[in-house]
Amino acid sequence: MTLKPKQVLAITTLYEHEGDWTSDKIAEHVGTTTRTLQRWRHEDEEFQAEFKKYLSRQFKGLRPKAIRTLGALLESGKPSVQLGAVKEILDRSGFAVEQIITLQDERENVSPLEGLNTDELRILANATKSTINK
């Protein structure tokens, strides 16, 4: 089953004008009723899937610009703007702020002796003894 031409027009019109135009105006532009437009949006799974695909394609094209904009915000000189950009970049990179704080806490609670082998521990112990005995 494929979308009807009016449904295809509805998808592009919704993308371009939703928020600027009323549902009545969009429906009129498409050549359908507001009820039909609402039914497509909320009940027609094929229409919904195609609308999501269309949005995904549109957003994919905006990604490079969005990334450049976030990079520019990092250089804004305004701490609150920079912090917001940092949070957004880290969140989108899979590092939520809570995870970073947890990692930092874990790093602060690590023993300075952790990871040393037996020989290294002996050398450190002997160096400590000779410093104490002086």
Side-chain angles (χ1 to χ4, degrees):
M1 187 173 179
T2 58
L3 295 182
K4 299 171 188 167
K6 286 184 180 183
Q7 289 176 307
V8 173
L9 179 59
I11 287 172
T12 58
T13 305
L14 284 165
Y15 173 75
E16 293 172 6
H17 299 290
E18 191 169 40
D20 298 329
W21 288 6
T22 65
S23 294
D24 291 339
K25 186 170 181 176
I26 292 171
E28 180 183 336
H29 178 78
V30 170
T32 192
T33 65
T34 303
R35 172 68 189 122
T36 298
L37 180 64
Q38 294 304 317
R39 194 176 68 250
W40 291 342
R41 293 287 314 270
H42 302 289
E43 299 170 21
D44 187 324
E45 291 179 11
E46 184 181 11
F47 182 88
Q48 293 168 359
E50 288 300 318
F51 189 50
K52 285 179 183 177
K53 285 182 196 174
Y54 183 84
L55 290 176
S56 180
R57 286 191 302 270
Q58 300 305 313
F59 290 151
K60 187 176 182 180
L62 295 173
R63 276 188 229 155
K65 184 176 181 180
I67 291 167
R68 285 192 304 274
T69 300
L70 278 172
L73 291 174
L74 286 173
E75 306 299 325
S76 74
K78 296 180 181 176
S80 62
V81 172
Q82 290 172 317
L83 178 61
V86 166
K87 286 179 179 178
E88 190 64 28
I89 291 167
L90 292 174
D91 284 349
R92 300 294 176 193
S93 300
F95 294 102
V97 173
E98 294 79 20
Q99 290 171 318
I100 292 170
I101 291 170
T102 301
L103 289 173
Q104 183 177 357
D105 288 345
E106 288 172 2
R107 190 179 66 231
E108 289 172 358
N109 293 327
V110 171
S111 167
L113 304 178
E114 188 175 316
L116 296 178
N117 63 36
T118 306
D119 291 334
E120 292 167 328
L121 288 170
R122 281 189 191 120
I123 292 168
L124 184 58
N126 288 333
T128 304
K129 283 180 191 175
S130 63
T131 303
I132 294 173
N133 293 333
K134 286 186 180 180

PDB file of all heavy atoms in Angstrom, residues 3 34-35 37 42 76:
ATOM      1  N   LEU A   3       1.135   5.683  -0.215  1.00  0.00           N
ATOM      2  CA  LEU A   3       0.379   6.881   0.135  1.00  0.00           C
ATOM      3  C   LEU A   3      -0.254   7.507  -1.102  1.00  0.00           C
ATOM      4  O   LEU A   3       0.296   7.438  -2.203  1.00  0.00           O
ATOM      5  CB  LEU A   3       1.303   7.901   0.793  1.00  0.00           C
ATOM      6  CG  LEU A   3       1.908   7.527   2.136  1.00  0.00           C
ATOM      7  CD1 LEU A   3       2.766   8.672   2.655  1.00  0.00           C
ATOM      8  CD2 LEU A   3       0.840   7.187   3.151  1.00  0.00           C
ATOM      9  N   THR A  34     -10.051  18.792   7.674  1.00  0.00           N
ATOM     10  CA  THR A  34      -9.226  18.799   8.878  1.00  0.00           C
ATOM     11  C   THR A  34      -9.339  17.449   9.587  1.00  0.00           C
ATOM     12  O   THR A  34      -8.343  16.920  10.090  1.00  0.00           O
ATOM     13  CB  THR A  34      -9.666  19.940   9.820  1.00  0.00           C
ATOM     14  OG1 THR A  34      -9.593  21.167   9.102  1.00  0.00           O
ATOM     15  CG2 THR A  34      -8.774  20.020  11.042  1.00  0.00           C
ATOM     16  N   ARG A  35     -10.537  16.873   9.612  1.00  0.00           N
ATOM     17  CA  ARG A  35     -10.734  15.568  10.257  1.00  0.00           C
ATOM     18  C   ARG A  35      -9.898  14.486   9.579  1.00  0.00           C
ATOM     19  O   ARG A  35      -9.268  13.666  10.227  1.00  0.00           O
ATOM     20  CB  ARG A  35     -12.228  15.194  10.248  1.00  0.00           C
ATOM     21  CG  ARG A  35     -12.513  13.795  10.724  1.00  0.00           C
ATOM     22  CD  ARG A  35     -12.214  13.623  12.217  1.00  0.00           C
ATOM     23  NE  ARG A  35     -12.291  12.223  12.584  1.00  0.00           N
ATOM     24  CZ  ARG A  35     -11.297  11.519  13.125  1.00  0.00           C
ATOM     25  NH1 ARG A  35     -10.156  12.082  13.395  1.00  0.00           N
ATOM     26  NH2 ARG A  35     -11.448  10.253  13.412  1.00  0.00           N
ATOM     27  N   LEU A  37      -7.148  14.931   7.835  1.00  0.00           N
ATOM     28  CA  LEU A  37      -5.751  15.225   8.159  1.00  0.00           C
ATOM     29  C   LEU A  37      -5.420  14.708   9.557  1.00  0.00           C
ATOM     30  O   LEU A  37      -4.385  14.062   9.765  1.00  0.00           O
ATOM     31  CB  LEU A  37      -5.487  16.725   8.071  1.00  0.00           C
ATOM     32  CG  LEU A  37      -4.059  17.182   8.376  1.00  0.00           C
ATOM     33  CD1 LEU A  37      -3.067  16.645   7.357  1.00  0.00           C
ATOM     34  CD2 LEU A  37      -4.012  18.710   8.420  1.00  0.00           C
ATOM     35  N   HIS A  42      -2.975  10.691  13.363  1.00  0.00           N
ATOM     36  CA  HIS A  42      -3.115   9.966  14.625  1.00  0.00           C
ATOM     37  C   HIS A  42      -3.563   8.510  14.499  1.00  0.00           C
ATOM     38  O   HIS A  42      -3.430   7.750  15.468  1.00  0.00           O
ATOM     39  CB  HIS A  42      -4.069  10.723  15.546  1.00  0.00           C
ATOM     40  CG  HIS A  42      -3.605  12.119  15.820  1.00  0.00           C
ATOM     41  ND1 HIS A  42      -2.516  12.403  16.617  1.00  0.00           N
ATOM     42  CD2 HIS A  42      -4.053  13.319  15.356  1.00  0.00           C
ATOM     43  CE1 HIS A  42      -2.324  13.715  16.645  1.00  0.00           C
ATOM     44  NE2 HIS A  42      -3.238  14.285  15.899  1.00  0.00           N
ATOM     45  N   SER A  76      31.604  30.807  22.434  1.00  0.00           N
ATOM     46  CA  SER A  76      30.792  32.022  22.553  1.00  0.00           C
ATOM     47  C   SER A  76      31.321  33.033  23.563  1.00  0.00           C
ATOM     48  O   SER A  76      31.041  34.206  23.474  1.00  0.00           O
ATOM     49  CB  SER A  76      29.354  31.663  22.926  1.00  0.00           C
ATOM     50  OG  SER A  76      29.292  31.267  24.283  1.00  0.00           O
TER      51      SER A  76
END
